[in-house]
Amino acid sequence: MADPALSFVIERTGDLLIQKIAFLKDVRRQVERLRNDLVRMRCFLKDADQRQDEDARIRNWVSEIRDAAYDAEDIIEIFASKVEFIKDKGLVTKLTFYPLKFVNLYKIGKEIKSLQMTLSDIADSREKYGIKNLGEGMSTQGEELQRLRRSSPFNEDKDIVGFEEITKSLVAQLLKEDRNRRVVSIIGMGGAGKTTLAKKVITMLMSGRNSTAVLGMQEQDLEQRLYQDLQDKCYLVVLDDVWKEEAWDCLARAFPDVNTSSRLLLTSRNRDVAQHADALSKPLELKTLGQEDSWQLFLRKALGHGDNAGCPPDLEEVGREIATRCAGLPLAITVIGGLLLAKKKLKSEWEKVLNSFNTNLSKSQSGVSAILELSYADLPANLKFCFLYLGLFPEDHVISVRKLIHMWVAEGIMQKRDAVNLEETAAYDDVERLCSRNMVRVAEMTVDERIKSCRVHDLVRELAIRKAKDEIFFQIHDTRDDEISAKSRYLAVHSLRVKNYFGSLTPPLRSLLFFNIRIYEENISLRFKSFRKLRILDLENVEMYSNLPKEIGEVRLLRYLGLRGKLSIMHRFKIAHSVVLRITSTTRLPHSFGRLRNLQTLDIRTHATVIVPNFIWKLESLRHLYAYDMECDVPLKIEGLRNLQTLSGIRFDDIMHNNMLTLTSLQKLGIWVDDGSEIDKLCMHLSEVGSLTTLHLYSTRGRGRPTLAGLSKLHHVTELKLSGLWQMLPPDFPPNLSRLSLNHTDLTDDPMPVLEKLGRLHGFHQLKFLELGRLNHLDEIKAEKGALPQLLCVRIRNCGRLRKLPEELKHISTLDTLELVDMPKDSISKLAADTALSVPNLRIFDS
């Protein structure tokens, strides 16, 4: 499929036709015909994704089809949402609204007919404008990209820096005594130097030995020739840039495994390929170059000098900035260095290159740009759409994987696979696939080795933005000169311009995301009635001076609403010397929220208490409700929410007033308790909720300190979190507990004698992951000798006073990784130096 967005929209239109059949039966034939027209149109687009870069006519033609496909999906969903709104009303209301149903049917029929005429005109224009021969083979650009990929391994590059240690490790693996045929793999993102490193290793190993190249043979003949020639030999074969597991399976047949200690050196961007080729061999991941190595390579490429060559003083500052912008990618440094080598050695010339850095790379048809283009082209259609969505996030932004998954699901990118609510599982799998292909970088992992957050390399982000602008009507507003397009479907706002943000413009937005907007003299003016097609609205960390307007209830297709962070009413007072004081008070959600029947994720984790009208029980599609603290004038009704998986920030009394057995999908629950909360009764109330696996109990000063009891009734709970001023540990624990978290507690006794007796936690002799988080007064850790014999990873998060780890850690042979998260620079340097010789891997993360 040429166009990922168009492919999904056409598929979703078909799914909607099936799902909404009861509402659409009177216009079913028209909807079916519309979908068939789109499917027929898609047949002409086999190679359009390559051809449209060459021909503006093709690009515009594809854009028109895509626009029509989006409109088709919007028409059906908006109509269905109106009918669904009527169906749940009482008899009198239904009779009142009955004539409106016929009005809506007439309107949808009219809109579909108009779309069909548009598609007919688009089809006719293909011949009219000379758009021919689509789908008949690979375009010139496609052939050029393939040629580049094929030829790049043979290009000489003698300027190699920063690979000394990994080269030694590779050589050691290749020479390791083992009679079996083994595969040693180098993985890394495009441009990281995998091919260059492989060539260097082979040059070292093959010095003075014979090498053979076999060219110009058919695939089957080549396979047979290799297999016969290698039968009794100890061979070393390099397989460069193997992209897929199927490709390896085909290649592997040509290399006999006959106990001759043979080796294959494989390079790939995909970790899965490497592990599939040899599950017993750990792939060596090629990291990007460090700052100094990047600078040395840059000098060689930009100035043509050898080792330790200096840089003219007037060029050094701008040169280092250019090298930094290459983010440690050897291929990026090589491309930009080659550009500078051909220019005069003048500061003004280098500054021009710096200012147009991304533009130069994006227009290049070789080097980094072309290789990244090819990486994108190789993604399956659904991964292309997921990848393009990442371009909406700001440069260097740490992206929460959980949030990203909720957005992808809300957008309808994910499809259910084999059970209810498995879109989230599919979405996480796609995050892993993008990471394994090195299109996305892991920023932080959880203790059970799941990806918690990720980043996108700047050059990769530029590719996503470039592609997304054409393919999904995508726009980023990040300067005060930007104009919002009337065709924008996906809009990310990184800066504000005027008080009435959109003016009279009403683009057909599906996603509207705001990032770190600070509003002081102006407010965001969103005319919600105009955004009927909006599925995702993210206002995280946006400061607003009023509550959300009641018109939010008109956005009936909304599936994701993010209000996390600083969304609150901000009162401003002038005091002495014109200082402005802002006081945050509570936030109130309007009653119209009850109309958001498609809402899947509601994130209201603000710094203030959120007053919630008793509407949540109406949100039948709700899956995730995140809050720090919710308050309601009456007991908050949540019964019957069969899709609800996550509920946090709810109060004890609200839980006890609901039949929790009706929440059949509930997995994670966070509850505020105080000294009047009977925890034993709460546990009895929750004991039959078989889907519940994670329980988080919050207690703070002012609400008292309840006595923990009855937790042993919670057989299904495997993870328990206790936050707040708990003075004592519970007298009992859930019997199947495997994870326990204690945050900001006020324990007076040493908890370790109790904790190490927990059966499922296996004491500390079995502990493999240790995390110490947000311990502001921790300055020393004590560990007895032999206390942690199987420890693999230590993670230290936000422990600002900690400067030294216990000596005993240095003697744990299993310890592989030290992770420092949100730590001061001086702490990082001291801890890193302290463990440099004893811990193989040091990972540093910033939120």
Side-chain angles (χ1 to χ4, degrees), residues 475-477 481-488 491-493 495 497 501-503 505-507 509 512:
Q475 188 176 3
I476 294 176
H477 184 91
D481 298 324
D482 283 351
E483 292 294 332
I484 297 174
S485 168
K487 283 191 171 184
S488 292
L491 177 63
V493 180
S495 69
R497 181 181 53 188
Y501 189 62
F502 291 97
L505 192 67
T506 55
L509 292 175
L512 176 57

Side-chain angles (χ1 to χ4, degrees), residues 83 210 544 650 664 700:
V83 178
N210 294 328
M544 300 179 70
I650 193 168
T664 54
T700 62

Side-chain angles (χ1 to χ4, degrees), residues 359-408:
T359 304
N360 282 329
L361 280 181
S362 65
K363 289 181 178 178
S364 171
Q365 292 303 313
S366 60
V368 172
S369 178
I371 289 176
L372 292 180
E373 289 267 359
L374 195 55
S375 296
Y376 171 76
D378 186 65
L379 293 175
N382 67 310
L383 277 186
K384 280 184 179 178
F385 204 108
C386 293
F387 172 73
L388 296 180
Y389 206 90
L390 292 168
L392 289 167
F393 293 85
E395 187 173 323
D396 296 326
H397 191 78
V398 177
I399 305 170
S400 162
V401 168
R402 179 186 296 168
K403 177 176 180 176
L404 187 63
I405 286 172
H406 294 338
M407 287 181 166
W408 284 351

Side-chain angles (χ1 to χ4, degrees), residues 159-295:
D159 293 322
I160 300 174
V161 297
F163 294 157
E164 289 75 18
E165 291 302 317
I166 197 169
T167 300
K168 293 177 184 177
S169 180
L170 278 169
V171 171
Q173 281 204 41
L174 290 168
L175 297 179
K176 190 176 181 180
E177 291 186 6
D178 189 334
R179 300 288 296 175
N180 296 312
R181 184 196 74 183
R182 303 306 302 270
V183 181
V184 178
S185 298
I186 308 170
I187 61 172
M189 68 183 302
K194 300 183 297 296
T195 301
T196 302
L197 177 58
K199 285 160 55 181
K200 179 179 180 180
V201 170
I202 295 306
T203 301
M204 292 174 61
L205 292 177
M206 297 302 293
S207 178
R209 304 187 187 184
N210 294 328
S211 61
T212 304
V214 184
L215 303 173
M217 298 180 66
Q218 296 296 320
E219 182 177 334
Q220 186 175 0
D221 295 335
L222 177 60
E223 180 184 328
Q224 293 177 353
R225 163 79 182 274
L226 285 171
Y227 190 84
Q228 292 169 0
D229 287 354
L230 299 176
Q231 267 294 332
D232 58 349
K233 294 182 176 65
C234 172
Y235 57 83
L236 172 61
V237 175
V238 180
L239 301 174
D240 190 61
D241 212 23
V242 180
W243 288 45
K244 297 181 179 179
E245 295 175 10
E246 297 83 359
W248 161 256
D249 291 336
C250 293
L251 291 166
R253 295 194 296 262
F255 307 113
D257 187 2
V258 287
N259 295 319
T260 57
S261 300
S262 294
R263 300 288 182 266
L264 291 99
L265 180 58
L266 179 149
T267 74
S268 179
R269 300 180 197 181
N270 194 335
R271 179 183 294 272
D272 294 342
V273 172
Q275 293 178 334
H276 177 72
D278 192 338
L280 299 178
S281 179
K282 183 180 180 180
L284 289 168
E285 185 171 359
L286 195 55
K287 305 291 186 182
T288 53
L289 297 178
Q291 186 175 355
E292 193 54 35
D293 286 331
S294 294
W295 177 238

Side-chain angles (χ1 to χ4, degrees), residues 46-75:
K46 183 177 180 181
D47 296 321
D49 56 339
Q50 295 172 348
R51 295 284 300 279
Q52 62 183 319
D53 287 336
E54 303 169 9
D55 195 326
R57 295 172 302 173
I58 297 177
R59 186 162 56 249
N60 293 333
W61 185 71
V62 172
S63 178
E64 290 176 1
I65 300 173
R66 191 185 305 114
D67 205 13
Y70 274 123
D71 286 342
E73 184 186 15
D74 291 339
I75 287 169

